[in-house]
Amino acid sequence: MNMQSIIKMMTDVGIELNEAKKEIEMLLEHFFSYTTVDKIQGKNLNDMQLDMLKKKVQERVSDRKPIQHIIGEAYFMGEYFKVSPDVLIPRDETEILVRKAIELINKNNFEQVLDIGTGSGCIACTIAKQTNAVVLGVDISFDALRVALDNVTKLGINNRAVFRKSDLFEKIHPNESFDLIISNPPYIPTGTKLSPEVMHEPEIALFAGDDGLDVYRKIIEDAPKYINKGGYLMFELGIDESNKVKELMQKKFKDIVVLKDMAGIDRVIYAQLV
């Protein structure tokens, strides 16, 4: 068994060659601390390492388990976050949402942020680490919150990002208010066929009713009760949902802005409270 045959195991099940090579590099670095520098210097893996690598790749291809679940972490905005099947794996598109949030927070000296559906806590932790705001992350899942707590401890910002079990605003106290409410909600229409990798992630973090807009509706309806004057509401968007979400926001929010991702897809929407 050599490296080429291990890569072929991945491409034979439909994983793109470049993606397969990238994932092999992730496995090598995580399990053997083997980096590109080692490869350039001609360092070879021994038979025991190759055998372990083969077993990890077999785990990857047998039921298309995401590589992040195999190594137990995902890279997001300069940090490695713990992930598990209980949380959504952080994606590049979400960086657009978080970068804009950080920009708004720093520009306006915002102090209080609410992250709805926090999952792994990657949004809450990143905002807390890169701004002076305190972030409350809420999630309906105890298992997701355990992952978020591990991540906040790992980053050493326990007093800056805090977490609470809550179904949206259910456990937000009447006297609590926020300068910014941010969410990467479930936005996939129920019944949509997804890739085998995505189906390893929690359904509650993926699907949101027949049109994918159920959670947007609920958040937009109640958010004005908890946003300070001059504050913002921000969402990540699903494909072809920007106009629908904008229409939902127009009654209670002004100056609505939509941002595109690198593929030209409307990916983030944000607006100020009227």
Side-chain angles (χ1 to χ4, degrees):
M1 177 64 66
N2 58 30
M3 191 65 70
Q4 291 304 315
S5 59
I6 290 175
I7 292 175
K8 189 174 185 298
M9 290 170 58
M10 301 177 75
T11 57
D12 281 350
V13 299
I15 299 171
E16 295 288 339
L17 178 59
N18 288 339
E19 186 64 24
K21 289 180 177 179
K22 180 181 177 182
E23 291 187 2
I24 291 291
E25 290 176 359
M26 293 169 68
L27 291 170
L28 290 174
E29 183 170 356
H30 182 79
F31 290 106
F32 311 125
S33 298
Y34 183 94
T35 66
T36 303
V37 174
D38 295 314
K39 183 178 179 180
I40 292 172
Q41 292 177 347
K43 294 181 181 179
N44 295 319
L45 299 175
N46 59 42
D47 290 342
M48 184 177 69
Q49 290 172 322
L50 279 171
D51 185 59
M52 182 178 176
L53 178 63
K54 176 186 174 183
K55 289 178 180 177
K56 294 299 178 183
V57 170
Q58 286 174 331
E59 185 180 356
R60 168 74 173 98
V61 303
S62 60
D63 64 352
R64 301 294 288 271
K65 180 185 290 187
I67 194 71
Q68 293 87 350
H69 287 175
I70 295 172
I71 65 177
E73 62 184 20
Y75 186 78
F76 182 77
M77 289 190 65
E79 300 286 349
Y80 284 97
F81 287 86
K82 176 182 176 180
V83 295
S84 77
D86 299 310
V87 300
L88 201 67
I89 295 168
R91 288 167 168 79
D92 292 343
E93 294 87 350
T94 305
E95 291 197 12
I96 303 169
L97 175 73
V98 177
R99 290 186 191 283
K100 176 52 67 171
I102 290 170
E103 178 185 321
L104 289 172
I105 292 165
N106 288 334
K107 178 181 178 181
N108 295 282
N109 296 314
F110 286 158
E111 297 179 349
Q112 299 293 330
V113 175
L114 175 64
D115 174 26
I116 297 178
T118 195
S120 67
C122 66
I123 292 176
C125 289
T126 303
I127 290 174
K129 193 171 179 65
Q130 297 191 26
T131 74
N132 292 321
V134 174
V135 188
L136 170 62
V138 298
D139 204 288
I140 194 173
S141 166
F142 268 128
D143 293 324
L145 290 172
R146 277 193 281 267
V147 175
L149 286 169
D150 285 344
N151 282 320
V152 79
T153 300
K154 174 177 176 288
L155 294 175
I157 50 172
N158 300 65
N159 61 330
R160 302 283 314 292
V162 295
F163 300 99
R164 183 186 303 168
K165 185 179 185 299
S166 179
D167 182 2
L168 305 181
F169 296 99
E170 178 189 25
K171 299 298 182 181
I172 304 301
H173 306 142
N175 63 337
E176 289 184 297
S177 62
F178 304 90
D179 301 306
L180 184 145
I181 296 177
I182 186 170
S183 182
N184 177 17
Y187 51 62
I188 300 172
T190 302
T192 301
K193 186 175 181 180
L194 302 174
S195 71
E197 285 85 356
V198 174
M199 291 308 297
H200 282 272
E201 300 182 74
E203 288 190 8
I204 196 171
L206 297 171
F207 299 107
D210 291 341
D211 61 0
L213 301 177
D214 282 3
V215 180
Y216 291 114
R217 290 190 183 95
K218 293 175 182 177
I219 293 175
I220 292 167
E221 177 64 29
D222 289 335
K225 303 173 189 175
Y226 302 97
I227 298 178
N228 294 326
K229 184 177 180 180
Y232 288 82
L233 176 64
M234 304 185 68
F235 293 112
E236 182 169 322
L237 293 165
I239 295 175
D240 295 328
E241 291 181 343
S242 62
N243 288 335
K244 298 171 186 175
V245 176
K246 184 176 182 179
E247 185 176 342
L248 291 171
M249 296 178 75
Q250 281 176 336
K251 292 181 180 179
K252 300 185 178 184
F253 295 87
K254 64 180 181 179
D255 301 328
I256 300 174
V257 179
V258 176
L259 304 177
K260 297 182 182 295
D261 62 18
M262 294 295 289
I265 296 168
D266 290 348
R267 187 57 67 183
V268 169
I269 189 167
Y270 67 95
Q272 268 188 310
L273 183 65
V274 171

Coordinates of all heavy atoms in Angstrom, one line a residue, residues 22 75-77 89-97 99 236 261 267:
K22 N -5.9 17.1 -0.4 CA -6.0 18.0 0.8 C -6.4 17.2 2.0 O -5.8 17.5 3.1 CB -7.0 19.1 0.4 CG -7.2 20.1 1.6 CD -8.3 21.1 1.2 CE -8.6 22.1 2.3 NZ -9.7 23.0 1.9
Y75 N -11.0 23.8 10.8 CA -10.3 25.1 10.8 C -11.3 26.2 10.4 O -12.0 26.0 9.4 CB -9.1 25.0 9.8 CG -8.2 26.2 9.8 CD1 -7.3 26.4 10.8 CD2 -8.4 27.2 8.8 CE1 -6.5 27.5 10.7 CE2 -7.6 28.3 8.7 CZ -6.6 28.5 9.7 OH -5.8 29.6 9.7
F76 N -11.3 27.3 11.2 CA -12.2 28.4 10.9 C -11.5 29.7 11.4 O -11.3 29.8 12.6 CB -13.5 28.1 11.6 CG -14.5 29.2 11.3 CD1 -15.2 29.2 10.1 CD2 -14.8 30.2 12.3 CE1 -16.2 30.2 9.9 CE2 -15.8 31.2 12.1 CZ -16.5 31.2 10.8
M77 N -11.3 30.6 10.5 CA -10.8 31.9 10.8 C -9.6 31.9 11.7 O -9.5 32.6 12.7 CB -11.9 32.8 11.3 CG -12.9 33.1 10.2 SD -14.1 34.4 10.7 CE -13.1 35.8 10.9
I89 N -20.4 21.5 10.8 CA -19.0 21.8 10.5 C -18.9 23.2 10.0 O -19.5 23.6 9.0 CB -18.5 20.8 9.5 CG1 -18.5 19.3 10.1 CG2 -17.0 21.1 9.1 CD1 -18.2 18.2 9.1
P90 N -18.0 24.0 10.6 CA -17.8 25.4 10.1 C -17.4 25.4 8.6 O -16.5 24.5 8.2 CB -16.7 25.9 11.0 CG -16.7 25.1 12.2 CD -17.2 23.7 11.8
R91 N -17.9 26.3 7.9 CA -17.6 26.4 6.4 C -17.1 27.8 6.1 O -17.3 28.7 6.8 CB -18.9 26.1 5.6 CG -19.3 24.6 5.7 CD -20.7 24.4 5.2 NE -21.0 23.0 5.0 CZ -21.3 22.1 5.9 NH1 -21.4 22.5 7.2 NH2 -21.6 20.8 5.6
D92 N -16.4 27.8 4.9 CA -15.8 29.0 4.5 C -16.8 30.2 4.3 O -16.5 31.3 4.6 CB -15.1 28.8 3.1 CG -13.8 27.9 3.3 OD1 -13.4 27.7 4.4 OD2 -13.4 27.4 2.2
E93 N -18.0 29.8 3.8 CA -19.0 30.8 3.6 C -19.4 31.6 4.9 O -19.7 32.8 4.8 CB -20.3 30.2 3.0 CG -20.2 29.6 1.7 CD -19.7 28.1 1.7 OE1 -19.3 27.7 2.7 OE2 -19.7 27.5 0.6
T94 N -19.3 30.9 6.0 CA -19.7 31.5 7.3 C -18.7 32.6 7.7 O -19.0 33.5 8.4 CB -19.8 30.5 8.4 OG1 -20.8 29.5 7.9 CG2 -20.3 31.1 9.7
E95 N -17.4 32.5 7.1 CA -16.4 33.5 7.4 C -16.9 34.9 6.9 O -16.6 35.9 7.6 CB -15.1 33.2 6.8 CG -14.4 32.0 7.4 CD -13.0 31.9 7.1 OE1 -12.4 32.8 6.5 OE2 -12.3 30.8 7.4
I96 N -17.6 34.9 5.8 CA -18.2 36.2 5.3 C -19.1 36.9 6.4 O -19.0 38.1 6.6 CB -18.9 36.0 4.0 CG1 -18.0 35.3 3.0 CG2 -19.4 37.3 3.4 CD1 -18.7 34.8 1.7
L97 N -19.9 36.0 6.9 CA -20.9 36.5 8.0 C -20.1 37.1 9.2 O -20.3 38.2 9.7 CB -21.8 35.4 8.4 CG -22.7 35.6 9.6 CD1 -23.9 36.5 9.1 CD2 -23.3 34.3 10.1
R99 N -16.8 37.9 9.5 CA -16.0 39.1 9.2 C -16.8 40.4 9.2 O -16.3 41.4 9.7 CB -15.2 38.9 7.9 CG -14.2 37.8 8.0 CD -13.3 37.7 6.7 NE -12.5 36.5 6.7 CZ -11.4 36.4 7.4 NH1 -10.9 37.4 8.2 NH2 -10.7 35.3 7.4
E236 N -26.7 34.3 7.9 CA -26.2 33.6 6.7 C -27.4 33.1 5.8 O -28.4 32.8 6.4 CB -25.3 32.4 7.0 CG -24.7 31.7 5.8 CD -23.7 30.7 6.1 OE1 -22.8 30.9 7.0 OE2 -23.6 29.6 5.4
D261 N -20.9 35.6 -1.8 CA -19.7 34.9 -1.6 C -18.8 34.9 -2.8 O -19.1 35.5 -3.8 CB -20.0 33.5 -1.1 CG -20.8 32.6 -2.1 OD1 -20.8 33.0 -3.3 OD2 -21.4 31.6 -1.8
R267 N -25.0 35.5 0.2 CA -24.6 34.6 1.3 C -24.9 35.2 2.6 O -25.1 34.5 3.6 CB -23.2 34.2 1.1 CG -22.7 33.2 2.1 CD -23.5 31.9 2.0 NE -23.3 31.2 0.8 CZ -23.9 30.1 0.4 NH1 -24.8 29.6 1.2 NH2 -23.7 29.5 -0.7

